[in-house]
Amino acid sequence: MATESASRMKSVGAGLLRWGLFALVLWYVATQARTLWDANRDIDVQIDWKYLVAAAVVSQLSWLPSTWFWQRLIELLGDRNLERYPLIRAYFCGSLGKYVPGKAAVILIRSGLVKQHGVSFVRASIASIVEAGAVMLVGCVVTIVFAVTIIPPDSLPTWVAETVPRESTSWSGLFMAIAVLVLAMPVVAVPANWIVQKITRIVQKRSLQQRAEEGKPSEGAEGEDSTDQSIGKLTWQFLVAAALMFALSWAGHGLSLLLVLRSMNPESFSLDAWVISTAAAAAGTSIGFFAVFAPGGLAVREGLIITMLAPSMGGPIAVAAAGLYRLASLIAEAAAALILYLVRPRVGETSRRDLE
């Protein structure tokens, strides 16, 4: 009883802390947004809705590289001959789970949907964890590299410009950073493989414990929870390909945010604005993801996007863009999830276990 009571108190305390942090961040971002809006109240914001529709579509297409990476990870973990559509369907349907605090629902939804087509729940879960961490880590790297190389200095937040002072954009610096990152991949592969192995053991161990508590055999007929499954290595070539795919994905998200800006200001459609939008979308989405207390990174993402856009676009445009970007992406996520959920794969999709 004492143990249950302590566990319950700990759970309640964690919940209060999580929601308290979320409320604090929401209040801070709302206050800053109101200040920026009031400082330039005379700016008239007009919206061209067709660009918002385009932004919504692009925001979802930009996640396709992640579905490729997720499939390759599942294959490396032992599942073979995977059908593409069930994985894409599960990936986009699971995206709505990020609005549940803690974001674990993303993993549960995706893994549960692909399990119906012969994919191991455990392997799909491990791949989901690694995929999410990888794409968000690349998002952080994209933001940092762009901020110190090609974003115009006068378009950066003051504290960033003062931290890394420079007088102009540096495309040579960008290419040098890309070269260094590519050359570093053989070194990165070592901890990356260790992390995957560690996550695999933890998830498999918990899965076996849960099966034991439920009175089920330690290894089902499908063998999905076997701990002796061979796990492929994350080669440096694969990591380079994945990093490039994720960089392309963030460029797509930047284009989505740029289209939101274009819906309000025709003059914002430029290469510099795309670079700034890419860094803003990458920073807001990736850091918002790691803020597990915020459902869908709400407020955290908006705050970072406003911070990145305000120096070049002005306060009202930055505030409006952050809100419209959230609205467009949320509607697109819901629509994509609904359509893909209703359009079910064929019965009896080919899977590794079917072939065995």
Side-chain angles (χ1 to χ4, degrees):
M1 289 295 293
T3 304
E4 291 183 5
S5 178
S7 178
R8 190 177 298 109
M9 289 294 293
K10 185 176 180 180
S11 177
V12 171
L16 290 174
L17 177 61
R18 181 169 59 245
W19 286 108
L21 284 172
F22 174 60
L24 181 62
V25 171
L26 185 61
W27 171 82
Y28 176 78
V29 171
T31 301
Q32 295 302 309
R34 179 62 181 272
T35 300
L36 286 171
W37 187 277
D38 289 343
N40 297 274
R41 186 185 290 272
D42 56 327
I43 296 180
D44 184 24
V45 177
Q46 300 291 332
I47 299 174
D48 189 338
W49 293 97
K50 65 176 178 288
Y51 287 100
L52 284 184
V53 173
V57 173
V58 171
S59 72
Q60 294 308 289
L61 293 177
S62 299
W63 289 116
L64 286 176
S66 292
T67 67
W68 165 83
F69 185 71
W70 189 40
Q71 178 177 353
R72 290 291 293 115
L73 282 178
I74 296 174
E75 291 173 346
L76 286 172
L77 291 170
D79 271 322
R80 300 289 186 271
N81 304 305
L82 304 177
E83 291 289 338
R84 185 74 170 148
Y85 179 70
L87 290 170
I88 292 177
R89 175 174 177 264
Y91 188 90
F92 283 95
C93 288
S95 294
L96 290 178
K98 67 186 178 185
Y99 292 99
V100 178
K103 301 180 176 68
V106 173
I107 299 169
L108 297 177
I109 295 171
R110 288 174 180 168
S111 302
L113 286 175
V114 294
K115 184 180 179 182
Q116 300 172 6
H117 302 279
V119 179
S120 163
F121 184 92
V122 172
R123 295 189 194 106
S125 299
I126 295 167
S128 292
I129 296 170
V130 176
E131 177 273 329
V135 69
M136 298 307 168
L137 181 60
V138 172
C140 292
V141 172
V142 166
T143 300
I144 294 171
V145 170
F146 278 19
V148 301
T149 58
I150 58 173
I151 294 180
D154 57 355
S155 298
L156 288 168
T158 304
W159 66 271
V160 176
E162 291 176 350
T163 302
V164 188
R166 55 187 171 86
E167 296 181 357
S168 63
T169 59
S170 174
W171 286 95
S172 61
L174 173 64
F175 296 138
M176 185 179 298
I178 293 173
V180 170
L181 291 171
V182 170
L183 293 174
M185 284 304 175
V187 178
V188 173
V190 176
N193 278 294
W194 181 85
I195 291 171
V196 171
Q197 295 280 349
K198 191 75 172 177
I199 293 174
T200 300
R201 285 194 292 269
I202 292 172
V203 174
Q204 288 178 334
K205 182 178 179 181
R206 291 185 178 179
S207 178
L208 290 173
Q209 289 176 343
Q210 183 177 1
R211 295 182 69 87
E213 291 172 358
E214 295 173 353
K216 298 179 180 179
S218 60
E219 183 177 6
E222 296 178 343
E224 67 171 293
D225 293 313
S226 174
T227 56
D228 60 359
Q229 280 287 344
S230 60
I231 299 174
K233 294 290 185 180
L234 300 176
T235 64
W236 71 269
Q237 296 95 329
F238 172 65
L239 292 178
V240 169
L244 292 175
M245 291 289 280
F246 288 150
L248 178 63
S249 178
W250 288 118
H253 291 296
L255 178 58
S256 177
L257 180 55
L258 180 64
L259 287 168
V260 171
L261 291 168
R262 173 61 182 81
S263 71
M264 296 179 286
N265 180 13
E267 297 179 0
S268 65
F269 209 70
S270 65
L271 179 59
D272 281 348
W274 188 6
V275 169
I276 296 168
S277 297
T278 299
T285 305
S286 56
I287 297 175
F289 171 84
F290 290 118
V292 295
F293 58 84
L298 186 64
V300 176
R301 187 173 89 169
E302 283 69 32
L304 288 166
I305 288 176
I306 292 170
T307 299
M308 294 293 293
L309 293 181
S312 58
M313 303 295 170
I317 294 294
V319 172
L324 290 172
Y325 184 55
R326 168 70 71 176
L327 178 64
S329 60
L330 177 59
I331 292 175
E333 285 169 350
L338 178 61
I339 293 170
L340 290 172
Y341 183 78
L342 293 177
V343 182
R344 298 177 179 272
R346 304 187 306 272
V347 176
E349 293 277 15
T350 303
S351 70
R352 177 181 65 86
R353 296 176 185 85
D354 293 333
L355 297 176
E356 293 176 350

